[in-house]
């Protein structure tokens, strides 16, 4: 263990502890992550005595203008040093009341402090003081659980989850991120107390969902949410995708399991949290659009559109940002069928151009989702789809090089149209502008101002308009004439 302690930050903490004869320990996630060889920048220190006082001593020793952030109510203090965030807290004992996940806190010993921790793998401490430098304290066999990749609570799981139901989400998040499992007792305790999640703030729950989402294989976490029945409480729209219907021997796939598979596939290609959300929600419109048709079997017509319409309410409830992140997720969900729908028999340039126009800068992310969306077990189907997407991607590149459609700017602006034909703002200007855009997207003309101007003249002539040229430019017609 000692070799892991040779770190300038821990050295300084320990030096001050020796000088002031303080009993203190590094605890929790930092110790767990040393053992897992996942170095972290967050260090939690438990001081038997005052954590705030110790943090102040450390700040003085560092000198300069080291800032200590003190949270008196929690008895904690935090400072940053050499890129590490170090949090100091006095050892404490906690007891809970039924209505709140905020405990009553009293001073305690290290043992008390480790007992209040959520999981055995987080209830580890290593001494940094004179008496016990480098000594690992592991009252609940956390090291063994790390070895066996298992998440257990130090005390009775039912009391642990009922006291602070956020721990249910943390258990699932750790399982997903660390690739650990929850044993039967833990799963059934979570399941039993799942309704207690209602005393946890939505922000906290969502933070844990996001952390789960950022794991390498988030399906682990979402399946655990399902297994413990937390899913139907916190993400009912995702839960609604579960299940398979059968009509006259024809069935559709289980859209929940499909979705988490898509999510896992996508996570191999992208770390973007919002693209991951789009993957989780891409088929969320399916349960409401599901129909059985005698000819085509099960259909989900319009689930892309309906799904994108459902996003704002989901984001609002989850307290996710209602800004461009949400619009991005909506856009990806709305367009998620487009690449596959244009890649049928013949992939036309104009279909690709239109897709590029609508997706804009999100085209690459959209393609990543579409490729992840292929979960068929039939190798031939997978090969065919992937090949089609390769063609779509190639055409996207060609068209982008030729026509720069991605961030489409009209090559002839409204003002120029008005000036040329002596129009004031109105319907006619709009019609001409739109027809130029359509002509570009259909490949009738290329995206440059010269061709666009020529097209404008032809289109205007059809509408009975002639360029003013020699005419008096002051002689303006109104657009409605
Ligand atoms: P990470 O920082 O990777 O999210 P962590 O284990 O360090 O993981 P933190 O939230 O930073 O988690 O908490 C630090 C430590 O505090 C944990 O390791 C655990 O011992 C304890 N802890 C945090 N939240 C709780 C809780 N809700 N109930 C009990 N103990 C907790
Ligand atoms: Mg931490």
């Amino acid at each position: 263990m000692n070799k892991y302690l040779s770190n300038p930050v821990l050295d300084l903490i320990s030096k001050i502890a020796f000088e002031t004869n303080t009993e203190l320990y590094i605890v929790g996630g930092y110790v767990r992550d040393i053992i897992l060889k996942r170095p972290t920048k967050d260090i939690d220190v438990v001081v038997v005595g005052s954590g705030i006082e110790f943090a102040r001593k450390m700040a003085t020793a560092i000198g300069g203008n080291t800032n200590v952030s003190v949270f008196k109510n929690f008895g904690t203090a935090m400072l940053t040093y050499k890129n590490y965030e170090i949090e100091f807290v006095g050892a404490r004992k906690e007891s809970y009341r039924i209505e709140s996940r905020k405990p009553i806190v009293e001073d305690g010993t290290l043992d008390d402090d480790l007992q209040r921790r959520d999981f055995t793998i987080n209830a580890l401490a290593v001494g940094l003081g004179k008496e016990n430098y480098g000594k690992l304290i592991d009252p609940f066999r956390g090291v063994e659980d790390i070895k066996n990749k298992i998440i257990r609570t130090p005390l009775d799981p039912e009391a642990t989850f009922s006291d602070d139901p956020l721990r249910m989400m943390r258990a699932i998040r750790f399982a997903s991120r660390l690739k650990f499992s929850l044993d039967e007792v833990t799963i059934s305790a979570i399941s039993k107390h799942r309704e207690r999640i209602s005393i946890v703030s939505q922000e906290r729950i969502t933070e844990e969902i996001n952390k789960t989402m950022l794991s390498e294989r988030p399906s682990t976490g979402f399946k655990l949410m399902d297994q413990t029945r937390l899913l139907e409480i916190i993400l009912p729209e995702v839960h609604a995708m579960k299940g398979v219907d059968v009509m006259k021997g024809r069935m559709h796939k289980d859209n929940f399991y499909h979705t988490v598979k898509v999510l896992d596939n996508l996570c191999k290609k992208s770390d973007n949290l919002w693209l991951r959300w789009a993957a989780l929600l891409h088929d969320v419109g399916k349960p409401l659009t599901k129909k059985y048709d005698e000819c085509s079997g099960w259909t989900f017509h319009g689930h892309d559109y309906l799904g994108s319409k459902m996003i704002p309410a989901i984001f609002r409830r989850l307290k996710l940002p209602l800004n461009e992140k949400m619009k991005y997720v909506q856009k990806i969900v709305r367009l998620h069928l487009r690449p596959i729908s244009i890649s049928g028999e013949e992939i036309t340039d104009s279909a690709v151009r239109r897709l590029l126009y609508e997706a804009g800068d999100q085209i690459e992310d959209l393609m990543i989702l579409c490729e992840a969306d292929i979960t068929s077990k039939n190798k031939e189907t997978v090969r065919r789809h992937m090949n089609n997407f390769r063609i779509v991607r190639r055409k996207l590149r060609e068209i982008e090089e030729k026509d720069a459609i991605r961030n489409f700017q009209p090559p002839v602006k409204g003002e120029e149209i008005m000036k040329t034909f002596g129009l004031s703002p109105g319907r006619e200007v709009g019609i001409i502008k739109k027809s130029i855009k359509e002509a570009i997207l259909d490949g009738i003309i290329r995206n440059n101002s010269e061709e666009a101007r020529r097209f404008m003249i032809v289109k205007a002539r059809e509408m009975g308009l002639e360029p003013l040229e020699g005419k008096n430019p002051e002689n303006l017609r109104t657009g409605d004439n």
Side-chain angles (χ1 to χ4, degrees), residues 129-146:
K130 205 183 269 173
E131 301 295 324
N132 50 22
Y133 183 86
K135 184 170 171 216
L136 175 73
I137 296 153
D138 177 13
F140 305 103
R141 301 179 184 233
V143 174
E144 199 178 306
D145 288 345
I146 292 179

Side-chain angles (χ1 to χ4, degrees), residues 452-466:
R453 269 190 209 113
R454 229 179 294 142
F455 184 85
M456 164 183 80
I457 304 280
V458 175
K459 177 71 193 174
R461 190 160 292 146
E462 277 173 22
M463 295 164 67
L465 296 166
E466 288 296 335

Side-chain angles (χ1 to χ4, degrees), residues 43-295:
I43 305 180
D44 289 300
V45 179
V46 166
V47 180
V48 182
S50 165
I52 298 174
E53 227 169 79
F54 191 89
R56 293 216 165 99
K57 284 180 195 154
M58 172 130 171
T60 311
I62 298 168
N65 40 14
T66 308
N67 254 331
V68 182
S69 322
V70 175
F71 307 94
K72 261 228 166 75
N73 292 348
F74 299 99
T76 64
M78 206 175 74
L79 57 82
T80 40
Y81 178 49
K82 293 191 186 290
N83 259 335
Y84 282 83
E85 272 198 1
I86 312 144
E87 189 166 326
F88 297 89
V89 59
R92 58 164 78 167
K93 200 173 167 166
E94 292 181 344
S95 45
Y96 286 84
R97 296 150 292 167
I98 186 77
E99 73 284 1
S100 163
R101 56 173 291 263
K102 305 217 165 46
I104 300 163
V105 174
E106 355 165 18
D107 291 345
T109 61
L110 176 73
D111 274 349
D112 296 328
D113 198 280
L114 293 180
Q115 286 205 19
R116 73 175 176 88
R117 298 200 172 248
D118 48 4
F119 306 113
T120 59
I121 60 167
N122 289 343
L124 298 164
V126 175
L128 284 187
K130 205 183 269 173
E131 301 295 324
N132 50 22
Y133 183 86
K135 184 170 171 216
L136 175 73
I137 296 153
D138 177 13
F140 305 103
R141 301 179 184 233
V143 174
E144 199 178 306
D145 288 345
I146 292 179
K147 228 176 265 154
N148 296 327
K149 296 178 176 289
I150 185 113
I151 292 172
R152 282 190 310 122
T153 57
L155 306 177
D156 169 37
E158 293 208 12
T160 305
F161 293 124
S162 171
D163 281 348
D164 176 2
L166 178 66
R167 292 167 181 161
M168 306 194 273
M169 294 302 297
R170 284 174 60 89
I172 291 172
R173 179 255 290 195
F174 283 121
S176 198
R177 292 202 80 159
L178 304 175
K179 303 194 179 108
F180 279 28
S181 45
L182 304 182
D183 63 8
E184 273 309 313
V185 194
T186 312
I187 290 187
S188 58
I190 296 179
S191 189
K192 182 164 172 194
H193 294 282
R194 63 184 184 278
E195 302 282 354
R196 292 277 292 158
I197 198 71
S198 61
I199 68 162
V200 180
S201 75
Q202 185 59 53
E203 287 83 350
R204 289 277 186 178
I205 298 172
T206 298
E207 188 184 338
E208 295 301 328
I209 302 175
N210 278 342
K211 286 186 173 176
T212 304
M213 194 79 106
L214 288 171
S215 36
E216 216 175 289
R217 268 206 302 271
S219 65
T220 310
F222 288 103
K223 284 182 189 164
L224 282 169
M225 287 179 215
D226 175 44
Q227 212 181 329
T228 54
R229 301 186 55 192
L230 276 166
L231 189 71
E232 56 201 69
I233 304 175
I234 57 179
L235 289 166
E237 301 86 351
V238 175
H239 178 259
M241 288 193 276
K242 250 193 97 166
V244 177
D245 290 289
V246 185
M247 275 285 256
K248 302 193 174 156
R250 292 164 91 173
M251 60 200 280
H252 62 78
K253 64 184 168 217
D254 183 305
N255 286 306
F256 171 71
Y257 290 105
H258 164 69
T259 292
V260 293
K261 180 89 189 78
V262 173
L263 183 55
D264 281 359
N265 287 346
L266 179 123
C267 290
K268 291 184 201 137
K269 296 281 154 69
S270 171
D271 294 333
N272 177 345
L273 175 65
W274 304 107
L275 184 54
R276 291 178 175 205
W277 269 105
L280 182 74
L281 299 176
H282 77 284
D283 277 346
V284 81
K286 274 190 172 174
L288 288 169
T289 51
K290 176 160 61 187
K291 285 208 172 64
Y292 182 79
D293 178 281
E294 289 297 336
C295 292

